[in-house]
Amino acid sequence: VGPEALSLWKSKSTFTSFGVFFLQMGWGDLGAFGEPSKETPNLDQMASEGMLFLDFYTANPLCSPSRAALLTGRLPVRNGFYTTNAHARNAYTPQDIVGGISDSELLLPELLKKAGYVNKIIGKWHLGHRPQFHPLKHGFDEWFGSPNCHFGPFDNRALPNIPVYRDWEMIGRYYEDFKIDLKTGEANLTQIYLQEALDFISKQQASQQPFFLYWAIDATHAPVYASKHFLGTSQRGLYGDAVREIDDSIGKILKHLQKLGISENTFVFFTSDNGAALISAPRQGGSNGRFLCGKQTTFEGGMREPAIAWWPGHIPAGGVSHQLGNVMDLFTTSLSLAGLQPPGDRQIDGIDLLPAILQGKLIDRPIFYYRGNEMMAVRVGLYKAHYWTWSNSWEEYSKGIDFCPGQNVSGVTTHTQEEHTTLPLLFHLGRDPGEKYPLSFASDEYQRTMERISVVVQQHKATMVPGEPQLNVCDKAVMNWSPPGCEKLGKCLKPPKSDPKKCFWPH
Amino acid sequence: VGPEALSLWKSKSTFTSFGVFFLQMGWGDLGAFGEPSKETPNLDQMASEGMLFLDFYTANPLCSPSRAALLTGRLPVRNGFYTTNAHARNAYTPQDIVGGISDSELLLPELLKKAGYVNKIIGKWHLGHRPQFHPLKHGFDEWFGSPNCHFGPFDNRALPNIPVYRDWEMIGRYYEDFKIDLKTGEANLTQIYLQEALDFISKQQASQQPFFLYWAIDATHAPVYASKHFLGTSQRGLYGDAVREIDDSIGKILKHLQKLGISENTFVFFTSDNGAALISAPRQGGSNGRFLCGKQTTFEGGMREPAIAWWPGHIPAGGVSHQLGNVMDLFTTSLSLAGLQPPGDRQIDGIDLLPAILQGKLIDRPIFYYRGNEMMAVRVGLYKAHYWTWSNSWEEYSKGIDFCPGQNVSGVTTHTQEEHTTLPLLFHLGRDPGEKYPLSFASDEYQRTMERISVVVQQHKATMVPGEPQLNVCDKAVMNWSPPGCEKLGKCLKPPKSDPKKCFWPH
């Protein structure tokens, strides 16, 4: 794509809609990325019609912070989606979390809305469930889904079941009104989420309005589920059934865009919020291919994600990119496509990927791997330096909690927090994608590379202004006892007395 | 493809030539199988124009026995490529091996020759280097390559450098006449092997004779090498450079077939003789993707192989097969395509894959995983039962020899030979391709599956007649001191006195 084509879509940019598929799936879960059962024909076709990103990352090895990062274009340590309760701890937004997305953060849908976009979130919001954090207060026009993970069933005494919202109000609760059979894994939620997407796209096409559809569904997150039609159809068991249903749904959404004749005006991106949760494997956990460990860790298995960009007529079919990308780039790239400037009053970590996508350029930029308040590692080019290593504590490990099942790299997958800040562990991810062979500290390659990386890290740390941490305080009183709309349904529950405490984040 | 098409090629079958690319590469080394650098555009294209086999195996986790199995269609324990010197030991054909391929074995080229085929082997023979084992005595018409691995350089006193043959006679020796720079990894051998293949194909096309080309090159086997043009071009280091050169060569060979207009009459298969040698990683070893361990082991990483069938106009482009396949099937399949019957006087383990390739059928057949004289494991459908587990001895492991670097599955990757014959470890390879989660012995699934598998194993063992083991005796006197043709080159060396001993096979 030359400059002419670039200016062509620039002139059309107000007509570019966005679809983002953002869910939990590991790098190795797609046929296109080497899953041996090869059961994702639609995602594989999306890749062959679009561009595969092989070096794409999420902003955090856990869901809430990654989602906040995607929508703000900023690292969780800036947008507040982290904790300072203890060193280097992953944190998210369970039901008793007090915090959430701050009003001072500018979200992608807020910015797009000003440019005439209609924005819908389908699925898990996960940026806080108290009234001030409601997605419709942060730029979305429509919502169908839940504020938290679909855990449960809860007893509605100690823990209420998670509500499902349509727009401003709840319309039921998981397990009560939206069934998930924990024994068989059966639930028809993905079918509902699919229909919501198809309907929204049809409506926007009819009214000729540009849109942003954020399809953030949760079928591959434990408790994993699939609808009856897909149950038992995968070689991979229940998790594979869920993947197959998602794959099928994404195929239907893309075909719908084509049928409506708007696929060339819709930029679609597929990626994941963290690596596969190996702790839930094999029944409820996916695959990070040959990468080390999984969700919760800052090894490649925790943060390197499958990623596909699709935009027929613009992105060359069958493209492959080694651009180091990050979910935060979707913020900046979408703004660029919409002809909007990113906010100038704050640090934005996402970059505009269009030169990589449309012109095959490689933009030099680092990837930072954070766990809570600590920068654990950084990738520059093909090199990755670990400043801290940790899988999880011996105490947890002895209870059977293992983020790296079957994997053990001496001195790397450590069960104590190991500091390497004076002499980082350095890996070459081209020769050693599995992070098994640290470079010799004495080698020229180590010296040369660490000089280069140190400059990047110093600059990053010198300019870092952490946001107010939002994930420090928990209180049972803030749980989903009485969400808006509960009265009409007779589903209001009585909250206990407020008793705010430091949240406990074990890993 | 229906019966009409099937009979169409049957009527043409005398015109079908064969190309087999057989080399050491891991399942995870191809972009099509999820290698993160995605540097195999030609193999990936071969897959997209042909059929990808996702459940394809070699007959042994080591080179010589696998090669003997491919050419005889028989398990190494039948064709003699195993040892009884100790229990469950891998063995091959180093320079001092006394044995080799027996005259009583019928090789694919011997059978094809009778049907008018011209057969050429390019690269490593590895079925014995003494005069009676010469490939031209076993059906090949032409040979360019070496009888053993390209180890060295040797001192020509304790160990002579390995000879390189053209047909009946040696034309030089590795390191002396065919240089490999062990420091930089530079060698132009793959280019020579490529040219040999192109010339042979041109010659056969000109004379309109059907051919069998067995391209068994060794650039990815330690010591790994690549030619100057490819050195330093891969993200993956030297090993990746070698893979890129092989990929490029295979692309050129396929294009040559197309240019000559004979691609529709040439059935081409790409696969590997064992899993990537993780012990040589990262500089000289490849990737087995997410599979467990590597070369030398009977875990999936040791024996599950990348495999692609290519036959434009016959095999539907972009096909994917879950047929359980084995390199021994290439024997039977090639005979079938040539309109020949497999020998009826002996047990053939290979099956005819044509129904799987042309009609998408799935043939129910087991895969046996042998280590030397012991059946370590068996796969039936998606289930794999381990009757014995072993990686290697504690003694070797303590010296740094590790066939499963970074991997450790308790009770599975054992460092002592563990017998499980009364209660095999059972894995479901769909849900758990990494062999990390043995099924509970108490589960219905275990009971039901083991009943089915036991029948298969009993039948296999009851009818097993092991061949005379060829890999028991070693003698320095039989080394490549004075291969035929050495006189002309002044390269004859004086052998020591014969002193036959039991070969020592440590793992």
Side-chain angles (χ1 to χ4, degrees), chain A residues 338-455:
Chain A
L340 298 171
Q341 291 296 318
D345 63 344
R346 64 197 68 201
Q347 180 70 42
I348 300 292
D349 297 289
I351 64 169
D352 181 357
L353 289 177
L354 289 182
I357 293 174
L358 298 175
Q359 297 170 299
K361 291 199 174 159
L362 280 181
I363 306 151
D364 186 24
R365 68 91 70 92
I367 298 292
F368 297 102
Y369 304 69
Y370 270 84
R371 193 152 165 169
N373 58 352
E374 186 60 76
M375 193 206 78
M376 306 284 286
V378 59
R379 176 174 174 180
V380 173
L382 283 166
Y383 292 95
K384 179 174 177 183
H386 288 270
Y387 288 77
W388 286 86
T389 53
W390 197 34
S391 56
N392 62 347
S393 68
W394 283 115
E395 192 193 342
E396 283 205 307
Y397 184 68
S398 68
K399 290 179 195 157
I401 298 174
D402 187 355
F403 297 149
C404 317
Q407 295 178 315
N408 176 32
V409 183
S410 178
V412 179
T413 54
T414 58
H415 287 289
T416 46
Q417 293 190 350
E418 294 293 330
E419 183 168 5
H420 311 277
T421 50
T422 52
L423 208 58
L425 298 181
L426 186 64
F427 295 90
H428 185 283
L429 294 180
R431 302 193 298 262
D432 176 25
E435 294 166 284
K436 288 178 184 168
Y437 308 97
L439 266 66
S440 160
F441 297 131
S443 67
D444 282 354
E445 190 181 4
Y446 182 91
Q447 299 295 335
R448 206 170 53 236
T449 307
M450 281 315 304
E451 277 174 30
R452 189 171 144 217
I453 292 179
S454 296
V455 175

Side-chain angles (χ1 to χ4, degrees), chain A residues 120-425:
Chain A
K120 177 157 190 163
I121 166 173
I122 298 174
K124 185 167 71 168
W125 166 240
H126 232 193
L127 302 196
H129 57 281
R130 297 175 66 206
Q132 64 270 39
F133 307 128
H134 193 287
L136 271 58
K137 286 197 179 144
H138 292 269
F140 282 104
D141 299 289
E142 300 182 20
W143 181 24
F144 182 86
S146 57
N148 317 81
C149 278
H150 58 292
F151 292 138
F154 298 124
D155 61 2
N156 288 337
R157 287 170 197 277
L159 296 170
N161 271 320
I162 303 292
V164 175
Y165 280 73
R166 173 169 300 285
D167 301 330
W168 289 105
E169 297 190 345
M170 76 177 271
I171 54 167
R173 290 186 191 268
Y174 274 117
Y175 300 95
E176 299 166 29
D177 313 289
F178 295 88
K179 307 285 186 197
I180 300 173
D181 186 325
L182 291 176
K183 209 170 153 190
T184 64
E186 184 179 341
N188 69 340
L189 285 155
T190 301
Q191 292 304 312
I192 299 175
Y193 292 142
L194 167 61
Q195 198 54 51
E196 284 287 323
L198 299 176
D199 291 349
F200 174 72
I201 292 167
S202 296
K203 196 175 68 177
Q204 297 320 308
Q205 190 265 347
S207 64
Q208 303 230 347
Q209 267 192 294
F211 64 85
F212 168 44
L213 172 61
Y214 177 56
W215 203 66
I217 70 159
D218 52 9
T220 43
H221 187 295
V224 169
Y225 61 79
S227 65
K228 193 163 189 171
H229 180 67
F230 289 90
L231 274 185
T233 62
S234 167
Q235 285 193 0
R236 305 179 67 198
L238 179 58
Y239 183 87
D241 297 339
V243 169
R244 288 198 67 235
E245 185 166 14
I246 290 171
D247 176 75
D248 181 77
S249 300
I250 288 175
K252 284 183 172 138
I253 292 170
L254 298 184
K255 278 188 196 76
H256 193 60
L257 290 170
Q258 288 171 319
K259 207 187 68 192
L260 295 178
I262 55 174
S263 60
E264 298 204 358
N265 299 325
T266 312
F267 177 89
V268 184
F269 207 92
F270 166 88
T271 190
S272 172
D273 64 350
N274 46 241
L278 300 185
I279 195 169
S280 307
R283 182 172 152 86
Q284 310 224 28
S287 161
N288 299 312
R290 65 176 298 195
F291 294 128
L292 190 61
C293 305
K295 180 174 177 176
Q296 303 276 6
T297 77
T298 48
F299 302 110
E300 291 298 284
M303 293 184 62
R304 191 146 159 184
E305 307 302 335
I308 306 169
W310 185 88
W311 192 18
H314 303 273
I315 300 176
V320 167
S321 178
H322 282 291
Q323 172 64 47
L324 302 200
N326 196 296
V327 297
M328 301 180 291
D329 303 341
L330 298 179
F331 176 89
T332 312
T333 305
S334 299
L335 291 180
S336 170
L337 274 171
L340 298 171
Q341 291 296 318
D345 63 344
R346 64 197 68 201
Q347 180 70 42
I348 300 292
D349 297 289
I351 64 169
D352 181 357
L353 289 177
L354 289 182
I357 293 174
L358 298 175
Q359 297 170 299
K361 291 199 174 159
L362 280 181
I363 306 151
D364 186 24
R365 68 91 70 92
I367 298 292
F368 297 102
Y369 304 69
Y370 270 84
R371 193 152 165 169
N373 58 352
E374 186 60 76
M375 193 206 78
M376 306 284 286
V378 59
R379 176 174 174 180
V380 173
L382 283 166
Y383 292 95
K384 179 174 177 183
H386 288 270
Y387 288 77
W388 286 86
T389 53
W390 197 34
S391 56
N392 62 347
S393 68
W394 283 115
E395 192 193 342
E396 283 205 307
Y397 184 68
S398 68
K399 290 179 195 157
I401 298 174
D402 187 355
F403 297 149
C404 317
Q407 295 178 315
N408 176 32
V409 183
S410 178
V412 179
T413 54
T414 58
H415 287 289
T416 46
Q417 293 190 350
E418 294 293 330
E419 183 168 5
H420 311 277
T421 50
T422 52
L423 208 58
L425 298 181

Side-chain angles (χ1 to χ4, degrees), chain A residues 37 235 322 405-406 408 428 436, chain B residues 37 235 322 405-406 408 428 436:
Chain A
S37 299
Q235 285 193 0
H322 282 291
N408 176 32
H428 185 283
K436 288 178 184 168
Chain B
S37 298
Q235 285 193 0
H322 282 292
N408 176 31
H428 185 283
K436 288 179 184 170

Side-chain angles (χ1 to χ4, degrees), chain B residues 203-405:
Chain B
K203 195 175 68 177
Q204 297 319 309
Q205 190 265 346
S207 64
Q208 303 231 346
Q209 266 192 295
F211 63 85
F212 168 44
L213 171 62
Y214 177 55
W215 203 66
I217 70 159
D218 53 9
T220 43
H221 188 294
V224 168
Y225 61 79
S227 66
K228 194 164 189 170
H229 180 67
F230 288 91
L231 273 185
T233 63
S234 167
Q235 285 193 0
R236 305 179 67 197
L238 178 60
Y239 183 87
D241 297 339
V243 169
R244 288 197 66 236
E245 184 166 14
I246 290 171
D247 176 76
D248 181 78
S249 300
I250 288 175
K252 284 182 173 141
I253 293 171
L254 297 184
K255 278 186 197 77
H256 193 61
L257 291 170
Q258 288 171 318
K259 207 187 68 190
L260 295 179
I262 55 174
S263 60
E264 298 204 357
N265 299 327
T266 311
F267 177 89
V268 184
F269 208 91
F270 166 88
T271 191
S272 171
D273 64 350
N274 46 241
L278 300 184
I279 196 170
S280 307
R283 183 172 151 86
Q284 309 224 30
S287 161
N288 299 312
R290 65 177 298 195
F291 294 129
L292 190 61
C293 305
K295 180 174 177 177
Q296 303 276 8
T297 77
T298 48
F299 303 109
E300 292 297 284
M303 293 183 61
R304 192 146 158 184
E305 306 302 335
I308 306 169
W310 184 89
W311 193 18
H314 302 273
I315 299 176
V320 167
S321 178
H322 282 292
Q323 173 64 47
L324 302 200
N326 197 295
V327 297
M328 299 180 292
D329 303 341
L330 298 178
F331 176 89
T332 311
T333 305
S334 300
L335 291 180
S336 171
L337 274 170
L340 298 171
Q341 291 295 318
D345 62 344
R346 66 197 66 201
Q347 181 70 42
I348 300 292
D349 297 288
I351 64 169
D352 181 357
L353 290 177
L354 289 181
I357 293 174
L358 298 175
Q359 298 170 297
K361 290 198 175 160
L362 280 181
I363 305 151
D364 187 24
R365 69 89 70 92
I367 297 292
F368 298 102
Y369 304 69
Y370 271 83
R371 192 154 166 168
N373 58 352
E374 185 61 76
M375 192 206 79
M376 307 285 285
V378 60
R379 176 173 174 181
V380 173
L382 283 165
Y383 292 95
K384 179 174 177 183
H386 288 269
Y387 288 77
W388 286 86
T389 52
W390 196 34
S391 57
N392 62 348
S393 69
W394 282 115
E395 192 192 343
E396 284 205 307
Y397 184 68
S398 69
K399 291 180 196 156
I401 299 174
D402 187 354
F403 297 149
C404 317

